[in-house]
Amino acid sequence: MKTRPVKEVKARIQQHRKVGVDYFRLRLLCPEIACLAQPGQFVMLRVNEQREPFLRRPFSFSRIFPCGDKRTKLEEEGTLEICYQVVGRGTSLMTQLREGQRVDILGPLGNGFWLEEEWKRVILIGGGIGIAPLIAWAEKLRARPSKRRKLIKNPAETPEVLVLIGGKSREKILGIKEFRKMELEPQVSTEDGSLGMKGLATDLLERELLTQGHTAVALYACGPMPMLAKVAQMADQFDLPCQVLVESRMACGVGACLGCAVKVRDEGSMKISKAEELTTGQENIFSESEGPEAEMTFPEGSLMPVISEVPPFRYVRACKEGPVFEARKIIWE
Ligand SMILES: Cc1cc2nc3c(=O)[nH]c(=O)nc-3n(C[C@H](O)[C@H](O)[C@H](O)COP(=O)(O)OP(=O)(O)OC[C@H]3O[C@@H](n4cnc5c(N)ncnc54)[C@H](O)[C@@H]3O)c2cc1C
Ligand code: FES
């Protein structure tokens, strides 16, 4: 497996702004990471110099401004942006970071989004702060052909991009201005109806797929797990390729602690049998039987067959094999 460079940088904070009730945007000067970063990848950020909190926190790139891009303003060259929501101790401490200060970041980490040539129309679905990495992805998709060369075989063809943003209320809707600058008009939903359609981002998606068709469409989603599971289910229903950015809890971010495990389908021959779980009373007992996904077995002491619908599975690390995954590979529980 190819190892990709990861840098540890003391990035200078160029800008730190409040952009919503509990949303903040940090612009960091770190050309070493900005020139390698791809949408969907992330950095691990040390929130302060103290030992508490000890662990760095993971954040996706919401904007990437590499050096040498003619469209980038001089002051933006070599910078990265992250948008974060205050949810706990680490993110509360981050709000105290000041412009001009330096912050320790490690990245770029993980695997980002990708595009296949046959996907002519892409739909980006963001829930709450989950829209952040999709801003960077939309920017890449809308970039000049030469900038998309690494992305697709035929960079001259720009896919059509539709953006769907959902949030609890209007204060939780981020990115509209950024998308409009890309000449994209996002569709918005809020749970309380304070902006856009009353409902969920997945309601917008359902309406779109039912009314506008779904030929050559691919889905990209980031947001809370129930939203991702619903998008994955709709991708299955409409038979669409779908990538999701999974924000599992992370401790190390570099593949060492196994703390970010995601349960995925094991497409090899290994199979777990529900009946064996029942007879042994243990979990994670693998039988090597092959065959169709549903398996009929007779547990010891029982005359009734048990149909096991548990697909063969394994765990992968979101920080290494993800955080972007094909939705159909994940076992949504
Ligand atoms: C790859 C990746 C990219 C991410 N990108 C962003 C981003 O761009 N913007 C952003 O705001 N957040 C992002 N997150 C989530 C962010 O890392 C967490 O919100 C942050 O680490 C919380 O730190 P804390 O110390 O404030 O919260 P803690 O004190 O650690 O936890 C506070 C509360 O938040 C919950 N929580 C903590 N981490 C997560 C998580 N990963 N998912 C769901 N709930 C969590 C805890 O269960 C707890 O209830 C990302 C996570 C990953 C793994
Ligand atoms: S966070 Fe440690 S292995 Fe992924």
Side-chain angles (χ1 to χ4, degrees):
M1 193 190 287
K2 215 165 74 177
T3 39
R4 272 172 279 160
V6 172
K7 312 272 181 186
E8 186 175 358
V9 177
K10 288 264 186 202
R12 188 169 172 279
I13 300 174
Q14 269 201 343
Q15 208 183 68
H16 192 190
R17 297 269 159 89
K18 194 167 185 195
V19 290
V21 178
D22 52 4
Y23 288 172
F24 289 78
R25 190 180 59 212
L26 257 185
R27 178 171 303 157
L28 304 168
L29 178 65
C30 47
E32 304 88 334
I33 296 180
C35 67
L36 299 169
Q38 293 298 327
Q41 289 188 296
F42 64 100
V43 285
M44 293 295 284
L45 182 148
R46 193 180 296 289
V47 300
N48 62 23
E49 294 294 320
Q50 275 72 60
R51 280 177 179 261
E52 214 319 276
F54 181 64
L55 298 171
R56 294 168 194 257
R57 299 295 194 259
F59 297 97
S60 306
F61 305 120
S62 58
R63 310 282 302 274
I64 301 168
F65 302 99
C67 302
D69 184 337
K70 286 194 192 113
R71 288 187 324 164
T72 304
K73 292 186 208 142
L74 204 56
E75 69 273 18
E76 289 177 340
E77 272 204 19
T79 65
L80 291 167
E81 271 184 20
I82 61 172
C83 289
Y84 67 92
Q85 179 176 17
V86 178
V87 294
R89 174 127 177 89
T91 43
S92 302
L93 286 167
M94 280 169 69
T95 62
Q96 295 164 18
L97 293 169
R98 293 179 317 278
E99 291 177 6
Q101 200 182 328
R102 288 184 185 270
V103 67
D104 188 318
I105 57 172
L106 184 70
L109 299 166
N111 294 302
F113 298 112
W114 70 95
L115 182 71
E116 302 282 342
E117 210 174 347
E118 60 273 21
W119 302 342
K120 305 294 180 213
R121 184 154 184 264
V122 303
I123 305 182
L124 317 186
I125 310 113
I129 197 73
I131 196 66
L134 298 173
I135 300 174
W137 182 227
E139 217 153 35
K140 182 96 181 186
L141 291 167
R142 305 283 288 172
R144 278 179 295 129
S146 61
K147 296 284 159 205
R148 293 200 308 271
R149 196 162 291 135
K150 279 194 199 146
L151 207 63
I152 36 176
K153 280 189 224 131
N154 185 359
E157 279 190 40
T158 312
E160 192 190 319
V161 180
L162 174 69
V163 182
L164 310 178
I165 313 177
K168 284 201 183 323
S169 60
R170 64 182 307 136
E171 300 81 40
K172 301 280 181 183
I173 301 296
L174 186 78
I176 295 186
K177 229 172 27 188
E178 286 82 355
F179 288 115
R180 284 188 179 150
K181 277 193 196 153
M182 296 175 228
E183 293 170 14
L184 297 171
E185 188 57 46
Q187 292 181 23
V188 175
S189 70
T190 48
E191 287 174 42
D192 65 359
S194 53
L195 191 67
M197 191 184 88
K198 188 167 195 259
L200 304 170
T202 47
D203 297 332
L204 291 173
L205 178 62
E206 187 166 33
R207 183 178 73 180
E208 182 63 26
L209 295 175
L210 289 173
T211 58
Q212 302 301 315
H214 41 88
T215 311
V217 168
L219 309 179
Y220 296 89
C222 181
M225 282 306 252
M227 185 199 102
L228 297 187
K230 178 75 184 162
V231 172
Q233 184 206 323
M234 288 166 74
D236 248 12
Q237 182 190 337
F238 289 91
D239 196 19
L240 300 176
C242 176
Q243 289 165 35
V244 290
L245 193 160
V246 176
E247 295 184 343
S248 327
R249 301 215 65 183
M250 288 183 182
C252 73
V254 293
C257 72
L258 309 180
C260 59
V262 175
K263 196 171 178 181
V264 296
R265 279 167 213 286
D266 188 351
E267 277 152 2
S269 62
M270 297 289 270
K271 186 164 178 60
I272 186 164
S273 155
K274 195 81 180 164
E276 280 193 69
E277 264 183 38
L278 284 175
T279 51
T280 61
Q282 290 174 36
E283 286 191 2
N284 292 356
I285 303 287
F286 289 91
S287 77
E288 295 209 11
S289 57
E290 289 179 41
E293 288 218 333
E295 184 187 33
M296 201 159 64
T297 46
F298 291 82
E300 206 175 296
S302 167
L303 294 176
M304 293 297 290
V306 171
I307 310 286
S308 163
E309 285 178 1
V310 180
F313 66 83
R314 66 195 167 96
Y315 288 97
V316 292
R317 297 159 300 180
C319 66
K320 272 293 192 192
E321 286 79 23
V324 176
F325 291 97
E326 280 181 69
R328 64 173 188 84
K329 292 203 172 152
I330 295 183
I331 298 181
W332 302 93
E333 292 176 324

